[in-house]
Amino acid sequence: MKNRIRPPVKIDEKGRVIRHPGVRAHSWRLNIPASVTGLKKERKFFASESEAKTYAEGLLAARADAGQDIVKRLRARGMSVTEALEYALKHSPTKGSCTIENACLAYVASRKDDNRKPSYLDNLTSQFRQIEEEFGAEAMVDTVKKKQIETFLKGLTGKDGDAPATPKSRINYIITLSALFNFAVEEGWRGENPAAKIRRPKRDEVLAAILVPKEVKQLLEEARKSSFADIFPAILIQMFAGTRRSEIPHIHWDWIRDQYLRLEKTKIRKKRAVDLSDALLEWLAPFRERSGPIFAPEGVTFDAMDTRGIENAYTYRLSQVAEAAKVTLPKNVLRHTAITYRDALTGDLAGTASWAGNSVKVIEEHYRGAARKADALQFYAIKP
């Protein structure tokens, strides 16, 4: 009998049903069907028949009231009960849940299978450690709510542990969390992504820091000394061709073909041809007969999947050059300098974006206007 409760029955001291009407009951048992509880059937025991009946009547009345309230609330949202049920089924787990720790491990393994770089996997693992600490490694992944994520993001701090995290850091965590919960949805561990509708904080757009022509001259004059012969060509490539630091370990001399540098390994894993300026071709002329990598520090093993050792060696040697030249080098300043002056000289947003391996939006927001054409002409006039 759907949504109904059968009358209570008499039970003896051993818990058996008393079927003879003349025998006195030890207690009264009420069987409540799953259609009433909403989960599974239940049994409850009472001292008297009247108590059992009163409880059953109250349960059915409360259920009816709750049902009417639900219908009213759904109507206010323009939904029917059927639509609400369909929504609930669509957004509920299909394969049972999974702990946050196991979900994180599975996601990292899936990214590794996608041939992601070790540096990316290390960063992902680091973020997941903090996420597991916040929500509980053993907590189920389908229990995390949007409000919890927002609280976590508000509490993030910078590297010093005191100052609030930057908008960029928060955005990075939102991206990671959204990817993790999308993965959980795909695996059937939860029905929806609680991070999908979290607003990303606004970032103040700033122009890239660059070197003025005078600083470029100072740096190159120092870098061309014999004590920095190992890194000088790599500095030239970054300064005038705008390559990324992560691309330096992969660049070989035979990638330079006529007036182009053909980058076979890039950050976004798309090959690109970089046309080389006359100034750079003059600087590189004495080295054109070389072969092998343009930067190969001694004692550092090259690993095509994890080139951080070579990147770190390059950064260290570059800092030594800068210190000797008495020039301050903000992060990625050589690449930023190259891109800024190229855009200032050509005025070609799309061409500069393709040349740098960036989007037009990035060039417009971060590089356009950071230098004048007159500055660019001075920059490209710097030759051996």
Side-chain angles (χ1 to χ4, degrees):
M1 292 173 22
K2 193 173 182 181
N3 296 335
R4 299 290 298 275
I5 301 176
R6 292 179 181 274
V9 295
K10 292 189 290 185
I11 301 297
D12 65 17
E13 293 181 356
K14 295 183 179 181
R16 297 173 300 192
V17 176
I18 299 173
R19 304 195 183 278
H20 196 282
V23 178
R24 187 176 179 181
H26 176 266
S27 62
W28 291 81
R29 188 184 73 195
L30 196 64
N31 291 331
I32 307 171
S35 60
V36 173
T37 66
L39 293 173
K40 59 183 179 179
K41 63 181 181 181
E42 296 179 0
R43 285 182 172 181
K44 290 191 175 292
F45 295 86
F46 301 88
S48 67
E49 183 180 16
S50 62
E51 287 183 25
K53 287 182 176 180
T54 299
Y55 181 85
E57 290 169 359
L59 193 62
L60 292 173
R63 181 180 176 83
D65 290 341
Q68 291 175 3
D69 179 59
I70 289 173
V71 170
K72 288 180 181 178
R73 291 166 64 185
L74 289 174
R75 282 177 180 170
R77 291 173 175 255
M79 295 179 70
S80 67
V81 173
T82 301
E83 289 171 332
L85 287 172
E86 288 176 350
Y87 180 88
L89 290 172
K90 181 180 179 181
H91 291 81
S92 61
T94 58
K95 296 181 181 177
S97 191
C98 172
T99 64
I100 291 176
E101 180 181 24
N102 288 336
C104 291
L105 289 172
Y107 182 73
V108 171
S110 73
R111 300 302 90 184
K112 189 175 183 179
D113 290 342
D114 283 346
N115 197 31
R116 296 300 183 93
K117 294 180 180 179
S119 56
Y120 165 79
L121 298 176
D122 289 346
N123 182 61
L124 198 61
T125 300
S126 175
Q127 287 182 313
F128 282 160
R129 277 197 294 269
Q130 196 164 352
I131 289 169
E132 289 171 17
E133 183 179 340
E134 174 69 18
F135 302 120
E138 296 304 315
M140 292 301 180
V141 74
D142 65 333
T143 62
V144 179
K145 307 298 182 185
K146 177 173 176 281
K147 187 67 177 177
Q148 289 177 274
I149 296 174
E150 290 172 335
T151 301
F152 166 66
L153 293 171
K154 287 179 181 177
L156 286 174
T157 59
K159 291 182 179 180
D160 61 3
D162 294 322
T166 63
K168 182 180 179 181
S169 293
R170 287 193 171 88
I171 291 172
N172 289 339
Y173 269 95
I174 292 172
I175 291 171
T176 297
L177 284 163
S178 188
L180 172 65
F181 287 117
N182 271 337
F183 178 74
V185 171
E186 291 169 1
E187 293 296 310
W189 297 329
R190 66 176 297 147
E192 42 74 45
N193 180 354
K197 293 184 179 181
I198 291 179
R199 293 182 179 179
R200 298 184 182 185
K202 296 292 183 181
R203 294 173 57 187
D204 293 328
E205 301 296 348
V206 295
L207 291 175
I210 64 170
L211 299 179
V212 297
K214 179 181 178 181
E215 293 172 319
V216 173
K217 285 182 181 180
Q218 283 181 242
L219 189 70
L220 294 184
E221 283 300 317
E222 191 64 38
R224 69 190 304 184
K225 293 180 180 178
S226 59
S227 55
F228 297 117
D230 60 327
I231 192 177
F232 183 45
I235 291 175
L236 290 170
I237 292 290
Q238 260 218 306
M239 181 74 78
F240 289 98
T243 54
R244 294 181 174 90
R245 188 186 71 148
S246 61
E247 294 165 348
I248 291 293
H250 302 283
I251 299 176
H252 283 63
W253 283 106
D254 58 3
W255 287 11
I256 300 176
R257 303 163 189 173
D258 297 324
Q259 76 271 28
Y260 291 97
L261 167 63
R262 177 71 178 180
L263 291 172
E264 303 288 337
K265 297 280 187 180
T266 67
K267 179 183 178 181
I268 58 176
R269 300 191 177 187
K270 287 185 179 180
K271 298 177 182 180
R272 77 176 187 272
V274 180
D275 60 295
L276 307 180
S277 65
D278 291 341
L280 179 55
L281 289 172
E282 286 191 38
W283 279 109
L284 293 177
F287 310 104
R288 293 299 292 272
E289 299 303 318
R290 290 188 179 185
S291 60
I294 64 164
F295 181 64
E298 292 184 11
V300 181
T301 303
F302 178 81
D303 180 352
M305 285 301 297
D306 189 1
T307 57
R308 284 175 301 173
I310 294 178
E311 289 178 41
N312 291 340
Y314 173 77
T315 301
Y316 175 69
R317 288 293 281 152
L318 183 59
S319 69
Q320 290 181 313
V321 177
E323 184 178 359
K326 295 180 173 56
V327 175
T328 301
L329 298 184
K331 186 177 180 181
N332 297 323
V333 69
L334 300 191
R335 172 173 164 80
H336 294 166
T337 298
I339 296 172
T340 298
Y341 286 132
R342 189 187 192 283
D343 180 61
L345 182 69
T346 65
D348 183 359
L349 274 175
T352 302
S354 176
W355 181 84
N358 272 334
S359 68
V360 171
K361 182 180 179 181
V362 167
I363 301 300
E364 187 172 25
E365 291 181 350
H366 297 283
Y367 298 98
R368 173 139 290 188
R372 299 169 301 173
K373 187 172 182 178
D375 300 321
L377 290 171
Q378 289 184 43
F379 171 73
Y380 287 110
I382 300 172
K383 297 180 179 180

